[in-house]
Amino acid sequence: MSIPILATKLYIPPPRPNIVTRSRLIERLDEGLSSGRRLTLISASAGFGKTTLVSAWAAGCGRPVTWLSLNDRDNDPACFLTYFVAALQTIAPNIGAGALAALQSLPLSAIEPILTALLNEIAAVPDNFILVLDDYHVIDAKPVENALAFLLEHLPPRMHLVLATREDPPLPLSRLRARGSLTELRAADLQFTTAEAAEFLNQVMGLNLSAEDIVSLENHTEGWIAGLQLAALSMQGHQDVSGFIQSFTGSHRFVLDYLVEEVLQQQSESVQIFLLRTSILDRMCGILCDAVTGREDGGEMLESLERGNLFVVPLDDKRRWYRYHHLFADVLQAHLLEAESDRVSALHRRASEWYERNSLPSDAIRHALAADDLGRAAGLIELAGPAMEGSPQASAWFSWVRALPDELVRARPVLSVWYAYALLTRADMEAAESRLKDAEQWLANPSPGMVVVDERQFQSLPAIIAVARAYHAQALGDVPGTVQYAQRALDLLPEGDHNRRLQTTGLLGLTCWANGDLEAAGRVFADYNARLRTARNIPDATGTAFVLADIRMAQGHLREAEGTLVRSLQFVMDQGGPLPPDAAELYRGLSELYRERGDLESAAQYLSRSEDLGGQAERLGWQYHQCVAQALLKQIRGDLDGALDLLYEAERLYMRTPLPVVRPITAMKARIWVAQGRQAEALGWARERGLSVDDDLSYMREFEHLTLARILLARYRNGLADSIRETMGLLERLLQAAEESGRIGSVIEILVLQALAHEAKGDTPPALASLERALILAEPEGYVRIFADEGPSMAGLLTRMNDSRKSGTPGMEAYIHKLLAAFEKQTLSGTMQGKPSRPLGISPGPSIEPLSEREREVMRLLGTELKGPEIARKLFISLNTLRTHTKSIFSKLGVNNRLAAVRYARELDLL
């Protein structure tokens, strides 16, 4: 016979017929309710009468009340929300039906949309009501805590939430206090006064104590209700009550142990045995107790314990389900280990078997592990594997399998594969590889030592392993391996396994991205995203939308990228209610777009919104991406040290995923070193990476090779290299590769670098030609930072182009003005590459002293290809005189070489 477990959690404990009248506390609870506060928090250690007080208040508060008693299994978000909805359904029977259905299929990160829909339904409830969460201190899972914080933040005025807990929950209590939204009762409020203690001891417990005895006992217990109750039970039958009270001293823990022993010693042997052997259970019903103890009087015994006030709490109105008072259960379990340690495992095993028969796998697994029956636990965990993949219960499953000995898991190929999947989603690639190899060895060489519980899943292992292998290979950057395993998976997977086939196709799309075939990658992810949106899979739909937008940006299609992000954000908003944490990815994408377009204020606002939402999420790698985005904004604003700090933090947070790393953190750091003038460190990075101008090119190393070109160009500008020809050759090869693959974003950056390289050589016409090509490609999409981040040299080229009116393209003049305005804003704020507007190689100093007319003539000729003796002959002066003029020019400009002087003079229009 199966008992409906759900009903046991939703029972509102009736007010006890003979309890102490606590009108002072009832009045405070009523006042909080009438004031429209959102939350009532009753927080005190065990035994202060929290549940009794709330049940008494609930009976007379004048509103409908629903009640949810929690235990540690409610740390599973799916379990918590299932019971939460069920509690609401006692108020509104049809509420949350869609939420319950969605919980069966959506992953953990999809809980926020479910909560949003649920909040909308709560708002539609016609009457005010109260929901009580009892024993909230058992909750320590961050997803559940986040869910409750989200619910509380957006709680409709119809609903009032009550938390009874032994410790303060991780909720924004200070903010709620400041808003006047919190009613609090704590241990100092809940402890019995002397008058209440007298009423309890003499009227409720039936003692006849003197006022002196009551004061003494109240002082000993400090008003602790459980202590008073236990003391009263122990005093029953004592002849010398006053003597007992006088000897009643010590801390609560020691007092509790002493009194429980006194209580237990007064029970019959049969009752003591029942108490001890059922203490392993979080919840008890008669038939479960019978299964555990081997007796047939479980139901009658539970009713007798309740009548005898022996710390059993009824959990339903039919008196079928009970639990022990938590502290009482702790002490019973300690006595069980002392008295019958050899029986504990058998008791847990029987409980596990009962839960398995009644289709409660989580409880069955928990008791199997407690019984140290690891073989049984492994079998149950294996059977639970498919349902756990991508579900809110995945964390619980992972903790179970980690509790098993390694050799036990290795003997089970199906369990090994599910373990590998769990490890992959946690970026533990090496451990996942080991588990996959274990399973593959069993498939290749089956032997009697192999253990399989789920035969159906065993038959499908080759396909499931192929998908895992494809994921693993892509995360390690092994593109050919990813393609090989993905194709194998598609060959083996049944046509009806749409979800896994779609995942595999997505992995193939990532290989296209890694190979630089952005057009193919875009097609795959556009289709992937559309299918996920059709399936209303919000978490994965937002993730793939960000990937698609990133691909579009690499293609140079900023407007398409923006459209993808905006449409996806609108899709999420259309689901109703507050935005889920997964929308953080979309806001971060919009931040990157607005940053590139030069709207740094909007970029910062979108990034802040992303951080607010993402802080509630647990998506793999979110913090890493957020650090990178923040670093790029700091770099633009001139805080190069701050940007480097964030990039170092991003390195620490990085976890491998299948997403291609096309912009490595180390290369980003090298670019900042170049901007800081730390060229030796940047060059050291390039050598460490084995970079050369003659390397074979690939898209995955394109960003690194462009960084190498920047390093070599900076060295040339500062007189540390005699030639830039090899750098120009590298840029030409990079340009050809990017053009052939249609990567317009890369093409623009390469053309910009070519323009700067020509400018550094003093070749203005080819510099302007390269720049014009870049502008023609960039203008329709609104690029700004790709030019503005290059500093004064680019500003000078743009000014020359604007003055020469060579663009010839409609609208180009306005675009150039827009870019120059970005430079002016940067210069005024002193943030051009983190320095004043001097180029690299020019030392900072006071205002520039004007050049003499002769020095201007010398400066103009220094800007040509003429050598020193040729300049001296042209000016009809000696070489020594030329050197004197040159030294004076260098001093006034604050430079130390000819190239730097020419560059700065061009910016100042001295040539």
Side-chain angles (χ1 to χ4, degrees):
M1 177 179 179
S2 178
I3 300 296
I5 300 296
L6 182 61
T8 70
K9 296 173 65 69
L10 307 180
Y11 172 63
I12 303 176
R16 295 177 181 268
N18 296 312
I19 62 170
V20 175
T21 303
R22 315 205 71 185
S23 55
R24 62 186 178 90
L25 301 181
I26 298 292
E27 288 174 3
R28 288 182 60 181
L29 295 173
D30 285 337
E31 191 273 331
L33 195 62
S34 62
S35 299
R37 295 170 188 161
R38 293 185 180 187
L39 175 66
T40 292
L41 175 66
I42 304 176
S43 180
S45 59
F48 275 92
K50 299 182 290 295
T51 299
T52 301
L53 172 64
V54 177
S55 64
W57 173 63
C61 67
R63 293 189 183 183
V65 178
T66 183
W67 191 290
L68 180 55
S69 296
L70 302 170
N71 60 44
D72 59 356
R73 285 169 299 185
D74 294 315
N75 282 292
D76 180 337
C79 181
F80 174 84
L81 290 178
T82 297
Y83 287 134
F84 191 93
V85 170
L88 292 174
Q89 289 177 342
T90 67
I91 300 295
N94 295 323
I95 198 171
L100 289 175
L103 281 173
Q104 305 304 314
S105 58
L106 294 182
L108 176 61
S109 54
I111 284 181
E112 292 287 356
I114 295 173
L115 296 180
T116 297
L118 190 58
L119 285 166
N120 291 333
E121 294 187 61
I122 293 172
V125 174
D127 300 317
N128 294 330
F129 69 95
I130 299 168
L131 188 147
V132 179
L133 296 181
D134 198 12
D135 290 335
Y136 188 75
H137 54 270
V138 302
I139 300 299
D140 58 13
K142 188 173 179 59
V144 175
E145 293 169 350
N146 287 342
L148 186 67
F150 183 89
L151 287 166
L152 185 59
E153 180 67 23
H154 304 94
L155 199 67
R158 293 288 190 196
M159 176 175 160
H160 182 82
L161 184 63
V162 178
L163 296 185
T165 176
R166 294 185 190 176
E167 57 190 32
D168 281 3
L171 296 173
L173 299 181
S174 58
R175 190 167 70 215
L176 291 169
R177 289 189 197 103
R179 294 177 179 174
S181 298
L182 176 64
T183 297
E184 294 178 86
L185 294 179
R186 299 187 173 275
D189 306 304
L190 294 170
Q191 64 187 27
F192 274 167
T193 63
T194 302
E196 289 171 338
E199 180 183 355
F200 174 76
L201 293 168
N202 286 341
Q203 296 182 28
V204 176
M205 300 303 295
L207 300 175
N208 187 24
L209 303 181
S210 66
E212 182 181 353
D213 286 338
I214 290 171
V215 171
S216 178
L217 188 57
E218 198 271 336
N219 286 336
H220 281 308
T221 61
E222 300 181 22
W224 183 42
I225 300 171
L228 287 167
Q229 183 179 17
L230 288 167
L233 287 170
S234 299
M235 279 188 286
Q236 291 175 352
H238 272 269
Q239 297 301 315
D240 184 10
V241 172
S242 295
F244 172 84
I245 292 174
Q246 292 304 316
S247 64
F248 181 68
T249 59
S251 68
H252 288 173
R253 182 68 246 181
F254 292 119
V255 169
L256 180 64
D257 289 344
Y258 173 77
L259 291 178
V260 169
E261 289 173 9
E262 289 289 314
V263 171
L264 283 175
Q265 288 174 2
Q266 297 184 33
Q267 308 305 314
S268 68
E269 182 180 0
S270 176
V271 171
Q272 289 188 45
I273 291 174
F274 181 88
L275 289 171
L276 294 179
R277 294 180 183 177
T278 57
S279 66
I280 67 164
L281 301 171
D282 291 338
R283 296 179 177 88
M284 301 171 289
C285 66
I287 58 174
L288 173 56
C289 290
D290 290 344
V292 170
T293 64
R295 298 163 53 152
E296 297 181 354
D297 61 347
E300 294 82 357
M301 185 64 74
L302 290 172
E303 292 174 8
S304 174
L305 293 175
E306 183 190 9
R307 288 194 302 270
N309 238 5
L310 283 177
F311 302 101
V312 292
V313 180
L315 296 175
D316 63 8
D317 54 4
K318 295 182 180 180
R319 295 301 200 268
R320 301 178 72 181
W321 284 89
Y322 297 84
R323 67 167 175 84
Y324 289 122
H325 184 285
H326 295 306
L327 285 181
F328 189 56
D330 291 342
V331 175
L332 288 175
Q333 290 167 14
H335 280 281
L336 175 65
L337 288 173
E338 181 180 338
E340 297 186 303
S341 59
D342 58 340
R343 192 182 293 271
V344 173
S345 292
L347 295 173
H348 279 293
R349 188 178 300 109
R350 292 172 187 173
S352 176
E353 291 168 353
W354 188 89
Y355 280 120
E356 183 186 12
R357 289 195 301 271
N358 286 273
S359 301
L360 295 164
S362 296
D363 296 282
I365 292 169
R366 187 169 53 85
H367 279 284
L369 289 170
D372 204 29
D373 189 347
L374 301 180
R376 173 180 174 77
L380 293 169
I381 294 169
E382 178 178 319
L383 291 170
M388 300 296 177
E389 185 189 359
S391 80
Q393 300 176 0
S395 293
W397 189 92
F398 189 68
S399 68
W400 297 333
V401 74
R402 287 185 55 144
L404 298 174
D406 192 58
E407 62 273 12
L408 205 64
V409 178
R410 292 186 181 279
R412 290 163 167 78
V414 176
L415 182 57
S416 293
V417 170
W418 293 133
Y419 195 4
Y421 266 75
L423 291 164
L424 287 173
T425 61
R426 288 163 175 79
D428 193 343
M429 301 299 156
E430 288 76 16
E433 165 75 12
S434 175
R435 300 300 169 181
L436 291 174
K437 283 184 176 178
D438 291 339
E440 289 167 337
Q441 287 174 0
W442 285 118
L443 289 176
N445 300 294
S447 69
M450 182 177 69
V451 180
V452 174
V453 178
D454 193 335
E455 185 63 35
R456 184 179 64 85
Q457 290 297 329
F458 179 73
Q459 298 302 322
S460 64
L461 277 191
I464 298 173
I465 290 174
V467 178
R469 281 289 185 192
Y471 183 106
H472 182 267
Q474 181 60 24
L476 296 180
D478 179 8
V479 172
T482 305
V483 173
Q484 174 188 346
Y485 286 117
Q487 291 293 351
R488 174 171 169 76
L490 291 175
D491 291 339
L492 294 173
L493 286 168
E495 291 295 331
D497 193 347
H498 302 295
N499 185 49
R500 223 175 279 281
R501 293 184 70 86
L502 192 59
Q503 292 173 354
T504 306
T505 303
L507 290 169
L508 287 173
L510 293 178
T511 65
C512 294
W513 186 5
N515 283 327
D517 189 354
L518 303 186
E519 188 62 37
R523 286 195 302 270
V524 170
F525 276 91
D527 179 69
Y528 197 175
N529 181 254
R531 291 174 183 269
L532 291 169
R533 290 174 60 182
T534 300
R536 290 291 189 268
N537 185 340
I538 295 175
D540 290 338
T542 55
T544 54
F546 183 79
V547 170
L548 180 58
D550 213 13
I551 292 170
R552 297 303 187 213
M553 289 182 69
Q555 290 178 292
H557 302 158
L558 302 190
R559 298 189 189 279
E560 284 189 40
E562 182 179 25
T564 296
L565 294 169
V566 170
R567 285 192 299 272
S568 295
L569 192 57
Q570 187 61 54
F571 165 72
V572 175
M573 290 178 173
D574 288 345
Q575 310 308 307
L579 289 171
D582 295 288
E585 301 279 12
L586 304 178
Y587 279 108
R588 182 162 55 82
L590 288 170
S591 174
E592 292 192 15
L593 278 167
Y594 277 85
R595 184 189 70 234
E596 178 51 53
R597 288 174 172 169
D599 186 349
L600 302 186
E601 182 177 352
S602 295
Q605 290 174 352
Y606 280 125
L607 191 58
S608 176
R609 182 65 173 134
S610 173
E611 186 168 11
D612 290 342
L613 287 170
Q616 308 169 35
E618 296 187 348
R619 184 181 286 273
L620 190 65
W622 175 83
Q623 290 179 304
Y624 160 79
H625 291 295
Q626 198 74 5
C627 280
V628 172
Q630 290 171 342
L632 292 173
L633 274 179
K634 281 189 176 291
Q635 183 178 358
I636 290 172
R637 289 169 172 162
D639 185 2
L640 300 185
D641 290 336
L644 275 176
D645 288 342
L646 284 166
L647 291 179
Y648 280 115
E649 178 65 8
E651 272 188 311
R652 186 185 69 81
L653 294 169
Y654 174 70
M655 291 186 289
R656 288 172 296 187
T657 74
L659 294 178
V661 182
V662 295
R663 292 182 289 274
I665 294 293
T666 55
M668 297 176 72
K669 290 193 301 183
R671 292 189 178 203
I672 293 180
W673 290 336
V674 171
Q676 291 177 320
R678 297 160 61 181
Q679 292 158 28
E681 291 174 71
L683 187 61
W685 163 81
R687 288 170 176 163
E688 182 180 317
R689 294 291 297 156
L691 293 171
S692 163
V693 294
D694 298 319
D695 288 338
D696 292 335
L697 302 182
S698 70
Y699 178 59
M700 288 298 292
R701 302 203 74 182
E702 180 185 75
F703 189 84
E704 291 184 315
H705 280 119
L706 287 173
T707 304
L708 173 63
R710 290 176 178 278
I711 295 169
L712 298 176
L713 178 58
R715 288 175 56 78
Y716 178 76
R717 285 184 182 281
N718 287 276
L720 300 176
D722 296 329
S723 173
I724 201 173
R725 184 178 58 187
E726 290 183 338
T727 305
M728 296 290 289
L730 173 61
L731 290 173
E732 188 60 37
R733 290 196 301 126
L734 287 167
L735 178 62
Q736 182 180 352
E739 287 178 330
E740 288 175 353
S741 297
R743 301 194 300 270
I744 303 303
S746 299
V747 169
I748 295 171
E749 182 179 0
I750 297 166
L751 288 170
V752 164
L753 289 177
Q754 284 186 326
L756 293 172
H758 285 300
E759 182 269 346
K761 291 175 58 181
D763 294 339
T764 301
L768 294 178
S770 294
L771 178 58
E772 183 174 20
R773 289 179 62 191
L775 292 170
I776 291 171
L777 293 173
E779 186 272 335
E781 302 295 335
Y783 279 93
V784 172
R785 298 311 315 176
I786 203 166
F787 298 100
D789 289 346
E790 300 302 338
S793 294
M794 177 54 63
L797 284 175
L798 287 168
T799 301
R800 285 170 177 262
M801 175 165 283
N802 187 56
D803 292 343
S804 65
R805 308 293 179 120
K806 289 186 177 181
S807 64
T809 304
M812 188 60 69
E813 185 174 346
Y815 182 46
I816 293 175
H817 286 167
K818 177 181 178 180
L819 296 178
L820 289 172
F823 283 99
E824 291 173 7
K825 184 177 180 180
Q826 221 168 232
T827 302
L828 289 174
S829 63
T831 62
M832 189 169 288
Q833 291 295 334
K835 297 179 180 290
S837 56
R838 294 177 182 272
L840 292 172
I842 301 178
S843 59
S847 299
I848 297 171
E849 181 182 348
L851 301 182
S852 67
E853 185 61 31
R854 173 59 87 177
E855 287 170 347
R856 283 178 173 271
E857 291 178 355
V858 172
M859 189 66 251
R860 280 192 288 270
L861 292 174
L862 288 174
T864 67
E865 295 292 330
L866 296 176
K867 297 180 180 180
E870 295 172 329
I871 294 174
R873 286 195 296 270
K874 192 171 185 65
L875 293 175
F876 302 99
I877 58 175
S878 69
L879 190 57
N880 284 335
T881 302
L882 175 63
R883 289 171 178 163
T884 300
H885 287 312
T886 301
K887 184 177 181 180
S888 175
I889 292 170
F890 286 2
S891 176
K892 290 180 178 180
L893 295 182
V895 300
N896 53 23
N897 61 72
R898 178 175 176 176
L899 285 174
V902 170
R903 181 182 176 207
Y904 197 31
R906 282 174 179 158
E907 293 164 8
L908 298 176
D909 288 328
L910 298 179
L911 301 182

